[in-house]
Amino acid sequence: MHCRLASTANLFRRKRIHMSEPQPQFSFNAIDTEPVKTFLLTGLLCLGISLLVVIFTGTPFWASALMSFSIGWSINLSFLLLGNLLARWMNPYVAAIPLTALGMAFGLIVSGVGIFGDAWHFFIGEYDTLVITTFFGVVGFAIFSTRGRLADAEAKLAKAHAEQEKRERLLAETELRLLQAQIEPHFLFNTLSNIAGLIHNKPDVAEQTLLNLTTLLRSTLKRTRQQDTTIAEEITIGKAYLDIQATRMQGRISYDINCPNHLQAHPLPPLLVQPLIENAVTHGIEPNETGGSIHVAVCADNASVNITVADTGHGVEATQSNPGTGTGLRNVRERLQALYGEAASLTLTENKPHGMVANLRVPLEHSFAEAD
Amino acid sequence: MPSAIIVDDEQTLIDYLAGKLQQLWPELEITGTAVNGRQAIALADETEPDIAFLDIQMPGLSGLQVATELPADIQIVFVTAFDEFAVEAFERAAVDYLLKPVSDERLQCTIARLQTHQQDPDLLAAREQLQALLRDLNPARSDCLQWIRAGLDDTTELVAVADVVFFQADHKYTTVATAARDYVVRKSIKELEQELDPQQFWRIHRGTIVRVDQIAAAKRDLRGRFTLTLRERPEKLRSSQSYGYLFKQM
């Protein structure tokens, strides 16, 4: 039996992170979330444009700056004031066209008044200015929409990170709860008293019980550091536990475990099977005066590994139940959800004529798929 | 000569305690042993011992339940591996108990107490106190539903009632909502209401029963109805006016 010390990367690979679908919506994020920064950046762009215009056309700097700034900031203003309104009715990218045009027109009017004292100066006659303005308008739009999309993508990424973090926290929490549940004090002290009771009269049995308890405790400690274990290892632990219980209950409990050879080394996260076995014993067999048996079976179909833990105990009809019915199973379920999402499941059904069957289904690793 | 019975579901532990007692209190006669609660009661009837050593966790009737069934003049010593709540209660009520594995020193103390108690004139009063304590510790066996059989095509799945967030009437059937998924059962909301523990589940509407500890918040509207948000489900449940009294304190 080989021991796999899987890296955390391995765990991540099996984990299915469910992200909400990215919404195909471009909000006017930049202007909405950081208006001041956007205005300043636009100012910087406008300064650049006006310098270019000065160099290539010889226009006086004040005139080129006035024009460039009034157009740039007008466009900003039109996005800020009307952007969200328009985006409600049409695709935000389409909405950007009238918004830019409106801002440009307003900017041209302001420039016309400022430079020539004529609001319509740039709309009648000076068509080359109109062409240049349009060109820069398109460049500006391209720059800002990219920024907007980047901001959107960043927000989505942050959200995905937050969700993954939440998932990991949940996993850690359930793991802790399972670990705490595992060294159930009642079980531990009862086993120790058994060893004390057996040590004089049946030293062999006492020794074997002590060794089984050691296996169980060692696995518990080891598993806090180990992410992945194998089915065979889980079975070893289950056997140690069931052997102790068989010693304690003296004939009230019997068990068998069947796992085909080719699945023995199949990886399995720890703390999934053991709680099912413990649940079957403590809620199925232990409260039942006549006892019962436990059958653990492992099999695989082409997509998943199925592990069933069936007991012939107590079942759902009996009126008495040990405390904590279902909480161990709930932990397993939460853990499965955190590890695999919808790809794994735990179902409970009734055993005939009495008792319960827990069926654990986890995805099959591809390398184990062919053999049968 | 004083006599005692030992009750434990594990024979090894019976033998162990019997051995220790023989060693430390040779005059005590062990008149019988039992491995579950019902046997214990029958044995006590038959042998009328002075003392009963009772394990708490046993199949069938627990040690606590057995204690309430035994005649009042039997002195009881509870034996437990680990039971924080019970031990605390025993301390308060000065009831004797032993922790497993039993040490010689501790058993010696218990023996000393048992020997003095035998002359205690106030034994009956102490016994009554014990009975009251046990009723508190071990409230009447709940006949409430623990598992629900939920039909899914040809198989019947078992859903732990402890996992249910709410029940919602759906035509002839009832939807059983757990944190993970929904199931369908044939039982009506009315039938379920009668079988569920009223401490844990509240009926808040003609068609809705909700698990109390799943209620995250209750918001009242102008007509006195409440809208509930839940901890583990996104749905919002509405209470009808007639059940609004449930949330008056919230």
Side-chain angles (χ1 to χ4, degrees), chain A residues 144-157:
Chain A
F144 281 102
S145 71
T146 311
R147 265 192 79 221
R149 261 179 300 178
L150 272 177
D152 263 11
E154 262 166 43
K156 264 168 212 151
L157 197 67

Side-chain angles (χ1 to χ4, degrees), chain A residues 314-370:
Chain A
H314 184 68
V316 289
E317 288 301 346
T319 47
Q320 193 199 6
S321 183
N322 279 347
T325 307
T327 51
L329 300 178
R330 191 192 171 105
N331 279 341
V332 171
R333 210 167 255 148
E334 278 175 18
R335 213 167 117 71
L336 280 181
Q337 172 70 24
L339 284 165
Y340 300 105
E342 300 303 313
S345 67
L346 171 65
T347 51
L348 292 172
T349 48
E350 275 181 275
N351 205 0
K352 298 283 181 244
H354 45 79
M356 274 196 216
V357 183
N359 189 347
L360 178 77
R361 190 175 55 85
V362 297
L364 181 74
E365 292 272 309
H366 292 305
S367 49
F368 292 85
E370 80 293 347

Side-chain angles (χ1 to χ4, degrees), chain A residues 23-243:
Chain A
Q23 283 126 25
Q25 199 211 335
F26 160 66
S27 58
F28 297 98
N29 232 326
I31 194 103
D32 276 344
T33 55
E34 305 172 307
V36 177
K37 201 172 156 194
T38 308
F39 270 93
L40 287 177
L41 270 171
T42 309
L44 215 61
L45 185 71
C46 292
L47 193 68
I49 294 170
S50 56
L51 287 175
L52 279 177
V53 172
V54 170
I55 291 164
F56 287 105
T57 66
T59 316
F61 176 70
W62 70 269
S64 118
L66 174 67
M67 202 170 143
S68 166
F69 276 86
S70 53
I71 290 170
W73 281 341
S74 297
I75 294 174
N76 276 173
L77 210 63
S78 84
F79 270 78
L80 185 65
L81 298 178
L82 301 171
N84 285 333
L85 195 70
L86 225 57
R88 230 177 282 166
W89 295 320
M90 55 182 93
N91 181 315
Y93 287 99
V94 178
I97 297 167
L99 286 170
T100 309
L102 189 71
M104 262 166 57
F106 187 70
L108 284 171
I109 291 168
V110 173
S111 321
V113 173
I115 301 167
F116 299 98
D118 173 9
W120 309 111
H121 177 86
F122 290 106
F123 297 96
I124 40 173
E126 282 242 19
Y127 291 118
D128 46 346
T129 312
L130 207 59
V131 170
I132 293 171
T133 311
T134 310
F135 170 72
F136 284 123
V138 169
V139 171
F141 170 70
I143 292 171
F144 281 102
S145 71
T146 311
R147 265 192 79 221
R149 261 179 300 178
L150 272 177
D152 263 11
E154 262 166 43
K156 264 168 212 151
L157 197 67
K159 201 176 153 206
H161 274 304
E163 232 159 80
Q164 180 170 341
E165 223 162 79
K166 189 178 152 205
R167 205 160 272 279
E168 262 157 52
R169 205 175 49 237
L170 183 76
L171 196 63
E173 276 169 19
T174 51
E175 206 148 297
L176 189 68
R177 255 182 291 152
L178 277 162
L179 281 169
Q180 282 170 341
Q182 205 173 22
I183 329 166
E184 206 265 303
H186 196 267
F187 168 78
L188 180 63
F189 289 115
N190 252 326
T191 306
L192 289 172
S193 347
N194 262 276
I195 294 170
L198 291 164
I199 211 155
H200 291 299
N201 303 331
K202 296 178 183 167
D204 295 355
V205 185
E207 186 185 2
Q208 193 51 51
T209 306
L210 191 59
L211 292 176
N212 284 331
L213 185 64
T214 309
T215 304
L216 210 59
L217 290 178
R218 197 188 300 287
S219 76
T220 306
L221 293 176
K222 198 167 79 178
R223 282 192 284 182
T224 57
R225 291 178 224 120
Q226 191 179 326
Q227 298 288 5
D228 244 349
T229 172
T230 59
I231 289 179
E233 255 181 284
E234 287 297 292
I235 286 176
T236 308
I237 295 158
K239 266 192 180 137
Y241 175 80
L242 287 165
D243 279 336

